[in-house]
Amino acid sequence: MAPFWQNAIHWLDEGRRGVVGVMNIDAAIKILSKSGLKCEKTKFRKDLSVFVCKAYITEHLEEIKNFVAEGGGLLIGGHAWYWAQTHSGQNPLTEFSGNKILNQMGLSLLGATIGGGTYKALVPTQAIKDSYHFRHLLYRFAAHVTAGEKLSKHEEGCLKKLGNDCNAYLQMKAHDCSHYRQVLATLTDLLKRSGLPQVSDSCPVKSPKDHLLLAVGTQVYKVCPDPDALLPYLIKDNPMMPVVYNHRIKVDVDTADKEEWISTGLYLSPGMKTYIAIPPQIVKKNWKIQIGCQTDSLHKNDVLKRPPSVHERFPVTSEMIQVWNLWGGLIYLVAPPKTQVKGLEVTAQMAVPAPYYKTGVTTAAEWSSLRTAPSPWAELEFENIILTVPSDAVRGLERPDKVAALWDEIMRAIADLAAKPHKFPRKERFVADVQISHGFMHAGYPIMVQKNSAANLVDVKKGKGMWGPIHEMGHNQQRGCWEFPPHTTECTCNLWSVYVHEEVLGIKREKAHGAMTAAKRQSRAKDYVAGGRKLESWSMWVALETYMQLQERFGWDAFKKVFTAYHHMKDIPKDKKRKMNLYAETFSQTVGMDLTGFFKAWGWPIETATEGKLSQLPSWNDHPMTQYD
């Protein structure tokens, strides 16, 4: 690439043969010094001919813009994806430092990434119908929606990209730019003429056209000059709900190393605006206000049962903040990591009350009226877990304290197996949604489940199984030091499913899941041996059998002691082979028996050195895999 950079620097210098200033990039100085131009390692100076810097520069931004406007050359590069990931809730197009320079020049670095591959440069003479051109396709799409003009197959295939690009473009909020105002006016007019598809569980959106309208509707509403006038075109059914005024929320927070959502028990209707009064102690301290609990993005889904993005975040930058969300949603404070505050009060000027129960705070009398509160979403907050479900799931719940008691027992069992304190550093969250980004459920914060699973979360009883939810909480307990992806990704999480079903819910493993019957377990082990004990086949249920055989011989306490040992380990290897040897060694030392023969029977890559370390221990010669030899 050296000739390219040298040509670029000469083009920027425009024959002046001036000084090229390079800001602390040694590799660039090395290459650019061969251009024949004088290169210096320096911060920005006005007397330079060309300035070379990274897009992460945070100083001299205004001077650099003026420098280019007056004829200076600028070579700037970098990406914004890491910044976007580490500055949640902030807009990379307007807040990322590189874009503060580049936006003025009609360029922007997006927070997104693209897949690796070969991308052909467009040929200027190529017919526009065979290529992708943002403005041209936008106007073709507008004509398609408003005048019924037919799109080509190529144009239809580009509509998802167009929707993503419209959203990115609108985030620039460049209202002082005529091009921006023109694009925004086009999209606003298009939405007023066509309306927004009224998507729902029973009325899913499948066409690329409706997908695009749903994708851009949220962003247009956020940035258009008169969102209130646009609202009736976007939300057709928006009934008025009773509200509470000047509602106070007490804030006691002690976060660990991750952000935490603080429930308020309040809801905003679609398009409803309210002011939130914030105590000065947490202003400009990385706190946020979030409207909406469903944070899964569905932009990649072809069929939509709800809009692709339905939550909003507002940085807490002043003592009075106006918040809203086109799609409405429960109101949360988002506390940053490693934050401690006590006895603060946040006041919501106006909001819809939600059915919200909190252990130790909500009385039985309060709950009897709160469970009929008008919000469509409800929350039950217990000792270590918060359940966010459709309000219909709690309307008939008379004794949330009984639900709390069983969930508390479940969560303590999860902590016990993980060899951790009973109080979680951050309460787990379950959120139900009409559609989630992937799978039937998925782990994370929050754990996402389908709407029709909500009743099972609330109607917990001993003797009643709930493999899926515990499986997802098991995922949240997995740790890279004793995990061997991809083999154990969908396996070790099930240790918690088996443990909770047997120890808390009173359901034996063979009854807890259809795959756990004795016949199926034996068949899997037998087939695995017959297939040559190949590690690539050792995954999910097959891999779980390894752990089940260990548990049935050495008990759950052995796992608890192994996990405890890992809590205190340092310098854990990163590669799978050494990690598997470490696990075999740790489990053997824990139970006082050489298990290398057992692990080798399962196809684990046990090294001679590991066998040597454990040779003084008695061997487990009668392990279950000997029956298949």
Side-chain angles (χ1 to χ4, degrees), residues 487 524-540 542-543 546 576 580 599-605 625:
H487 312 288
R524 284 194 293 268
K526 191 176 178 181
D527 290 347
Y528 178 69
V529 171
R533 308 176 205 253
K534 293 175 181 171
L535 207 56
E536 58 262 32
S537 304
W538 186 76
S539 63
M540 205 169 174
V542 176
T546 306
K576 184 168 63 183
M580 293 180 90
F599 285 113
K600 283 171 79 174
W602 273 106
W604 283 35
M625 297 303 282

Side-chain angles (χ1 to χ4, degrees), residues 102-339:
L102 292 169
N103 284 353
Q104 199 97 14
M105 304 165 196
L107 300 167
S108 291
L109 294 173
L110 299 179
T113 60
I114 60 170
T118 304
Y119 292 83
K120 290 184 178 178
L122 291 177
V123 179
T125 54
Q126 187 180 2
I128 201 161
K129 67 180 176 61
D130 296 325
S131 62
Y132 173 86
H133 187 280
F134 172 63
R135 295 280 293 274
H136 175 77
L137 184 57
L138 174 60
Y139 297 133
R140 286 280 297 128
F141 178 71
H144 168 65
V145 172
T146 58
E149 288 189 19
K150 194 166 175 60
L151 296 177
S152 69
K153 279 196 171 179
H154 170 76
E155 288 171 327
E156 277 192 351
C158 292
L159 289 185
K160 188 175 273 193
K161 177 173 169 54
L162 178 64
N164 292 335
D165 288 350
C166 283
N167 278 338
Y169 186 85
L170 292 172
Q171 284 171 35
M172 286 192 288
K173 299 178 182 175
H175 294 282
D176 55 347
C177 167
S178 62
H179 294 298
Y180 182 88
R181 290 197 304 271
Q182 197 174 8
V183 169
L184 178 56
T186 301
L187 287 167
T188 306
D189 179 60
L190 193 149
L191 286 165
K192 281 185 174 178
R193 288 180 181 228
S194 69
L196 207 57
Q198 300 302 292
V199 63
S200 69
D201 205 359
S202 57
C203 186
V205 154
K206 297 177 182 177
S207 74
K209 168 193 156 187
D210 287 346
H211 201 293
L212 193 157
L213 290 170
L214 269 179
V216 301
T218 308
Q219 198 63 34
V220 171
Y221 177 76
K222 277 197 279 191
V223 299
C224 74
D226 191 357
D228 292 338
L230 184 59
L231 185 62
Y233 297 95
L234 306 181
I235 308 287
K236 303 292 186 190
D237 183 22
N238 196 9
M240 292 287 288
M241 292 185 186
V243 298
V244 290
Y245 295 95
N246 298 323
H247 186 89
R248 295 181 178 186
I249 302 117
K250 191 178 177 186
V251 182
D252 292 326
V253 164
D254 185 1
T255 59
D257 56 353
K258 293 174 182 171
E259 72 172 28
E260 193 170 327
W261 301 2
I262 312 301
S263 300
T264 65
L266 298 173
Y267 170 85
L268 286 183
S269 300
M272 178 180 174
K273 295 178 180 176
T274 193
Y275 283 96
I276 308 278
I278 305 288
Q281 295 96 317
I282 63 172
V283 172
K284 293 184 179 176
K285 296 284 176 66
N286 293 323
W287 285 66
K288 299 177 186 72
I289 295 167
Q290 178 174 303
I291 314 298
C293 55
Q294 287 90 359
T295 51
D296 267 12
S297 169
L298 306 182
H299 282 285
K300 291 181 179 176
N301 294 44
D302 292 327
V303 177
L304 295 174
K305 295 179 181 178
R306 68 147 168 89
S309 178
V310 291
H311 78 288
E312 289 293 342
R313 279 192 168 187
F314 299 83
V316 174
T317 53
S318 62
E319 290 182 41
M320 189 66 74
I321 302 170
Q322 190 181 41
V323 296
W324 67 93
N325 180 7
L326 171 60
W327 308 108
L330 292 169
I331 304 175
Y332 300 92
L333 286 165
V334 182
K338 296 181 173 61
T339 297

Side-chain angles (χ1 to χ4, degrees), residues 274-432:
T274 193
Y275 283 96
I276 308 278
I278 305 288
Q281 295 96 317
I282 63 172
V283 172
K284 293 184 179 176
K285 296 284 176 66
N286 293 323
W287 285 66
K288 299 177 186 72
I289 295 167
Q290 178 174 303
I291 314 298
C293 55
Q294 287 90 359
T295 51
D296 267 12
S297 169
L298 306 182
H299 282 285
K300 291 181 179 176
N301 294 44
D302 292 327
V303 177
L304 295 174
K305 295 179 181 178
R306 68 147 168 89
S309 178
V310 291
H311 78 288
E312 289 293 342
R313 279 192 168 187
F314 299 83
V316 174
T317 53
S318 62
E319 290 182 41
M320 189 66 74
I321 302 170
Q322 190 181 41
V323 296
W324 67 93
N325 180 7
L326 171 60
W327 308 108
L330 292 169
I331 304 175
Y332 300 92
L333 286 165
V334 182
K338 296 181 173 61
T339 297
Q340 290 181 317
V341 298
K342 196 164 180 63
L344 299 185
E345 271 192 352
V346 168
T347 305
Q349 171 217 21
M350 177 179 71
V352 177
Y356 174 50
Y357 175 88
K358 186 173 183 179
T359 297
V361 175
T362 312
T363 65
E366 287 169 337
W367 176 248
S368 66
S369 60
L370 262 178
R371 65 182 168 137
T372 63
S375 156
W377 293 98
E379 289 200 314
L380 304 174
E381 181 168 349
F382 306 142
E383 181 184 53
N384 278 314
I385 194 164
I386 303 165
L387 310 177
T388 308
V389 295
S391 294
D392 290 348
V394 304
R395 298 285 189 217
L397 180 63
E398 294 179 0
R399 294 290 303 273
D401 56 318
K402 286 190 172 182
V403 180
L406 185 50
W407 270 110
D408 292 348
E409 201 178 333
I410 290 168
M411 300 308 288
R412 284 194 286 271
I414 286 172
D416 281 340
L417 181 56
K420 292 179 178 176
H422 281 172
K423 187 180 186 311
F424 279 48
R426 174 176 71 174
K427 296 182 183 188
E428 293 277 24
R429 278 184 176 273
F430 273 94
V431 171

Side-chain angles (χ1 to χ4, degrees), residues 515-529 545 549 602 624-625 627-628:
M516 292 299 289
T517 63
K520 286 186 178 175
R521 287 178 55 191
Q522 194 163 15
S523 173
R524 284 194 293 268
K526 191 176 178 181
D527 290 347
Y528 178 69
V529 171
E545 185 58 23
Q549 289 178 357
W602 273 106
M625 297 303 282
Q627 63 185 297
Y628 305 113

